[in-house]
Every structure is written in structure tokens, then in C-alpha cells.
Amino acid sequence: MAQAFSRRLILSCAATLLAASGPWAHAQTGWPSKPVKIVVPFAPGGTTDILARAIAPELTKAFGQQFVVENRAGAGGNLGAEVVAKSAADGYTLLMGTVGTHGINRALYPKLAYDPFKDFAPVTLVAGVPNVMVINAEFARVNNIQSVKDFIQVAKAKPGRLNMASSGNGTSIHLAGELFKSQTGTFMTHIPYRGSGPALLDLTGGQADVMFDNLPSAMQLIKAGKLKALAVTSTQRSAALPEVPTIEEAAGLPGFEATSWFGLLAPAGTAPDTVNRIQQEVARALNSPAIKEKMLAQGAIPSGNTPTQFATLIESEHKKWAQVVKVSGARVD
């Protein structure tokens, strides 16, 4: 009798575990029972937006509920990050965070309305990307600029007269430009926008002269000949633009590096089970040949790492960029 009871108990536990891990598990936990919002803290058209819109349909398919992208631009990504930080920790509001919102801004802004560490639960790194130094094609033609050294010569001859566009104060695009200025002794007027999309629009239109944009959002304009790529800001050349040198190679600036990353975060206190399930589905999507090849072609390197690994990255990136802010002298009032 005792043996029969033990056997029934074991089988019952096994069945429970199987159900909890099966494809219908979300129906048992109750999440998600309504659409999930992914907040992009920048305007449409930039790399943050591109990556969010790449994974949202995959999560929709995986969980059977709509994952909707919402753009909340402003203050170098701080506005959208604050919205998510103050949202309910119920798994229905996520942030597509960036190296700016979680690696740079704490060191750059005197006051932040959110704490990038205490107010968020890291989910997963979606992708890392190099930035690319691009200039308006007509500006390059008129000034006969073929290389980074040519650009430096023109910038030094016209101090303060060249406009440097960025996706917002505190973004890696902004800081890459500030680092370049400090290491080359050049001075350009910084013009922050509410995202890469509007900044690129003005760059191609001639209202700005140079930008250190994330490679995926600039790629099509480079290939269309509207922008001229002078160098990438990573320590190695990008497989997506193998003919374009690094800034270290092109300008003789040893160790120059200003790369970007993008990842999903939830409000602090979100259930670990929900966080882990989202991470697993993002990792599965990023590992699919179609999405992986598309991202690599755009210059993005997909990840999908664990929440713990992502948290470690955020901490190390904050330390790194705090030093870059100090060295560059960048300030945001």
C-alpha cells in the first residue's frame, strides 16, 4: 500500500513539473493575459527602435499576446526609462534600454529620476553594435574629405562651425563624438536630437555635418551613398563594413573605442519566472538563422545572454563610461 502511494505521488509530481515546463505553462501562470508594452526611449528610426521591432513579433508568436513597441523619446532616453522604472512590476511594461540609459547617464546627468541599478530587473542583452563616423556626402565632396585625417584637418580649420548631430545627450553617439573631439583637439557644435531617426534626417539634409551613429541605423544611408562612412568606433573592423577602418587605424588614436549595446529590462520586482521566460524566448529568436543573419548584415551582434550576465555587463559598462565622461569633459546641465 505504501509503495503504491509513493508511486502515485512520484507520478503526480512528475506530471506537475511537466505541465509547468510545457508549451501551455503560460496559461497556468496567467502571464501574459494581455498585450505587453516595450518602451523605446527614442524616436522611431534609430537602432533601439529597429531592434525592438525585430524581437516584438517573435515574442508575440511565442507568448500568444501582442508585444507592442511604444516610442517615448526625450532627455537622452531618460524619459522613457523613467516611465518603465515607475511602472508596475507585473511583466506588462518592458524597456529597450541602452548603454546611454544604463551605462552613461548616471555619470553624465547631475540628477536622474530613476536608478539604473535599483529600479530595474535586467532581462537580456539583445545586441551590441559599433558606432560609425559618418558625414554628409555633399559636405565630403565639397571639402574633399576622404578620410578621418581629412576631416580633422577641415574641423581644425573651422572650429565651432561644424555641427555634430547625436541621438540625444548622454547617448553613446554623443559620447563617441565628445571622446573624438577631446582626443583630436577639434571643436564641433553638438546638436542633440530625440533619436537617431531625426538626427540622420538632418544629417542627410545638410543641417548637420557629422555623426557617430549606431551602425544599423546608418547602414542603408551609407549604402545608398547619402552618407560617407569614415571609420567605425570599435577596436576591430565591422564584418558588415569590412572596408571601413577603425578610428584607431584611421586617425592613429590608440585604444579608441565607443561601442553601443541594447537590452531588455523590466521594472524591479518583476517575477523572476517572467524575466527568465522572456529571456529564453529572446535568446531563441536571436538564434534563429533569419534574425541572426539580418542583424549581422546590419552590423549588430545578437546576444540573448542571461539576466545575471546582463546585470554584470551593465555594472562594468557604467564604470567604463564614467571614466569616458570624465576624460571627455562632457556635461549635461
Side-chain angles (χ1 to χ4, degrees):
M1 188 72 159
Q3 284 183 332
F5 177 77
S6 297
R7 187 168 180 272
R8 285 199 300 270
L9 179 61
I10 292 170
L11 290 173
S12 174
C13 290
T16 300
L17 289 172
L18 181 61
S21 61
W24 56 88
H26 70 274
Q28 295 183 326
T29 63
W31 181 93
S33 60
K34 62 181 181 179
V36 177
K37 180 167 59 180
I38 301 177
V39 174
V40 169
F42 297 99
T47 299
T48 319
D49 186 66
I50 290 170
L51 293 175
R53 294 182 189 279
I55 64 168
E58 301 302 314
L59 293 174
T60 296
K61 285 189 287 186
F63 290 109
Q65 286 287 347
Q66 287 292 319
F67 278 67
V68 182
V69 175
E70 179 179 300
N71 297 87
R72 297 291 294 269
N78 291 339
L79 179 61
E82 180 186 353
V83 167
V84 177
K86 295 180 178 178
S87 295
D90 56 9
Y92 291 100
T93 305
L94 305 174
L95 175 72
M96 181 60 85
T98 70
V99 64
T101 61
H102 282 74
I104 297 172
N105 289 358
R106 192 180 189 189
L108 189 65
Y109 285 81
K111 294 181 180 179
L112 278 184
Y114 66 94
D115 187 308
F117 301 110
K118 295 179 181 178
D119 292 342
F120 292 89
V123 178
T124 186
L125 175 69
V126 174
V129 305
N131 290 359
V132 59
M133 182 181 181
V134 286
I135 59 176
N136 175 282
E138 181 62 14
F139 172 76
R141 187 190 67 79
V142 170
N143 291 278
N144 194 29
I145 298 174
Q146 298 297 323
S147 67
V148 175
K149 289 184 177 179
D150 291 341
F151 178 86
I152 293 172
Q153 188 175 5
V154 171
K156 287 186 174 180
K158 302 177 179 182
R161 290 164 57 190
L162 301 189
N163 291 331
M164 182 183 78
S166 84
S167 56
N169 285 316
T171 61
S172 71
I173 295 169
H174 170 205
L175 265 290
E178 294 295 340
L179 189 62
F180 180 84
K181 287 160 61 177
S182 69
Q183 291 196 11
T184 58
T186 54
F187 174 66
M188 297 168 279
T189 301
H190 174 225
I191 304 177
Y193 290 80
R194 292 169 67 86
S196 281
L200 288 168
L201 190 63
D202 271 11
L203 184 63
T204 55
Q207 286 77 42
D209 305 302
V210 62
M211 185 173 173
F212 293 78
D213 193 31
N214 304 140
L215 184 51
S217 49
M219 181 68 80
Q220 288 189 352
L221 294 170
I222 293 169
K223 291 190 172 181
K226 295 182 179 181
L227 295 178
K228 182 174 180 62
L230 295 181
V232 291
T233 63
S234 48
T235 55
Q236 295 183 333
R237 295 192 182 201
S238 169
L241 286 176
E243 72 283 1
V244 177
T246 66
I247 284 184
E248 179 175 354
E249 290 176 312
L253 300 177
F256 189 101
E257 182 181 15
T259 54
S260 301
W261 51 259
F262 308 83
L264 282 177
L265 302 104
T270 301
D273 177 64
T274 300
V275 168
N276 289 331
R277 288 170 59 204
I278 296 171
Q279 181 270 325
Q280 289 163 10
E281 291 303 336
V282 171
R284 186 176 290 112
L286 294 176
N287 214 26
S288 68
I291 291 183
K292 191 172 185 177
E293 288 171 14
K294 184 178 180 180
M295 284 194 177
L296 290 172
Q298 292 176 321
I301 302 171
S303 175
N305 64 4
T306 67
T308 300
Q309 290 169 332
F310 189 27
T312 300
L313 172 70
I314 291 171
E315 186 176 349
S316 65
E317 284 288 281
H318 169 67
K319 292 177 181 177
K320 166 190 164 181
W321 284 100
Q323 184 62 25
V324 172
V325 169
K326 182 179 178 180
V327 169
S328 69
R331 292 197 310 267
V332 174
D333 298 324

